[in-house]
């Protein structure tokens, strides 16, 4: 099973402001949809509540310590390990950790593939950050530069990495 993490972060590693995304980048949302559709996405409870609904055409898994947490159209687990065990048993081909900061900080070391959108700007008032990685352990396998336009406020680059160690 490929265990992937998918994230968009700024030059200073900001991923969120006040439980929302720092930007509106429709091009990145399309990339996210294209990449994760027909797969399983795993997210922290705060990211789920920020999105506000299960994302269609994907199995949605929410991680929470609250054993009574329920939301329609999502499967809940009380630990990351329990979610991975379930996906392994279900013989998923690729699963995606989709954030937020707490989940990335615990799941990057479990991942063997990263989809990173580098958003080429500095966000001054960020409240959620992508963790520092040991980049020596990761091999860049593709990079696709996207130029800002009337709908997308910032230049951004879609990068894919595979774990090299
Ligand atoms: N730019 C991007 O690509 C991107 C992607 C996703 C999210 N975001 C942003 O990230 C921010 C949210 O990140 P966040 O760090 O505040 O929250 P989060 O990681 O989405 O969710 C945190 C919650 O997940 C649960 N949790 C975390 N670790 C757990 C564990 N080991 N076992 C069981 N449950 C666990 C807890 O839920 P309970 O409190 O219910 O126990 C915790 O409060 C938002 O601003 C969002 O917009 C950005």
């Amino acid at each position: 099973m490929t265990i992937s993490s998918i994230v968009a972060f700024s030059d200073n590693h900001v991923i969120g402001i006040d439980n929302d995304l720092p930007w509106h980048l429709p091009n990145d949302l399309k990339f996210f949809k294209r990449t994760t559709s027909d797969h399983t996405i795993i997210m922290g409870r705060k990211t789920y509540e920020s999105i506000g609904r299960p994302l269609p055409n994907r199995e949605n898994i929410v991680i929470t310590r609250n054993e009574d947490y329920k939301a329609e159209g999502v499967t809940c687990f009380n630990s990351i390990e329990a979610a991975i065990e379930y996906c392994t048993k279900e013989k998923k081909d690729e699963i995606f950790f989709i954030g937020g900061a707490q989940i990335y900080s615990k799941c990057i070391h479990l991942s063997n593939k990263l989809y990173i959108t580098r958003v080429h700007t500095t966000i001054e008032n960020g409240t959620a950050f992508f963790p520092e990685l040991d980049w020596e352990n990761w091999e860049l396998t593709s990079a696709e530069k996207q130029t800002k336009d009337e709908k997308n406020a910032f230049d951004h680059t879609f990068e894919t990495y595979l774990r090299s160690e």
Side-chain angles (χ1 to χ4, degrees):
M1 180 169 75
T2 302
I3 302 178
S4 296
S5 290
I6 184 164
V7 62
F9 62 72
S10 68
D11 291 340
N12 56 335
H13 278 215
V14 172
I15 65 164
I17 303 173
D18 297 338
N19 217 28
D20 208 347
L21 293 176
W23 41 66
H24 177 63
L25 276 179
N27 197 40
D28 184 52
L29 296 178
K30 277 187 211 145
F31 174 79
F32 178 86
K33 184 177 177 186
R34 188 162 79 232
T35 306
T36 60
S37 281
D38 301 323
H39 294 292
T40 298
I41 53 176
I42 305 175
M43 69 202 93
R45 191 262 307 163
K46 290 185 181 175
T47 291
Y48 173 67
E49 291 185 354
S50 164
I51 297 170
R53 65 192 165 94
L55 291 175
N57 305 318
R58 278 150 280 195
E59 181 172 16
N60 288 242
I61 291 179
V62 173
I63 308 286
T64 171
R65 292 187 180 88
N66 178 354
E67 293 179 4
D68 299 323
Y69 193 83
K70 283 193 181 53
E72 206 172 312
V74 309
T75 309
C76 296
F77 288 99
N78 297 130
S79 74
I80 291 156
E81 294 72 20
I84 292 180
E85 193 179 318
Y86 161 81
C87 293
T88 305
K89 275 195 190 133
E90 292 287 308
K91 299 193 186 326
K92 308 280 185 194
D93 58 344
E94 184 170 13
I95 63 173
F96 292 83
F97 289 111
I98 68 160
Q102 287 187 35
I103 295 300
Y104 292 135
S105 71
K106 288 162 192 144
C107 293
I108 294 299
H109 76 282
L110 303 170
S111 301
N112 37 43
K113 188 167 184 180
L114 300 180
Y115 298 81
I116 291 178
T117 302
R118 288 189 189 268
V119 183
H120 301 299
T121 187
T122 299
I123 302 288
E124 300 295 353
N125 52 339
T127 55
F129 296 83
F130 191 72
E132 284 302 329
L133 296 193
D134 195 347
W135 291 104
E136 282 182 4
N137 296 337
W138 294 95
E139 182 190 353
L140 180 67
T141 54
S142 69
E144 204 185 310
K145 179 103 193 264
Q146 310 283 310
T147 307
K148 67 181 174 187
D149 58 23
E150 65 282 356
K151 288 188 185 148
N152 297 274
F154 306 114
D155 291 344
H156 49 288
T157 304
F158 297 133
E159 294 182 344
T160 311
Y161 293 81
L162 288 176
R163 189 178 279 285
S164 56
E165 33 114 30

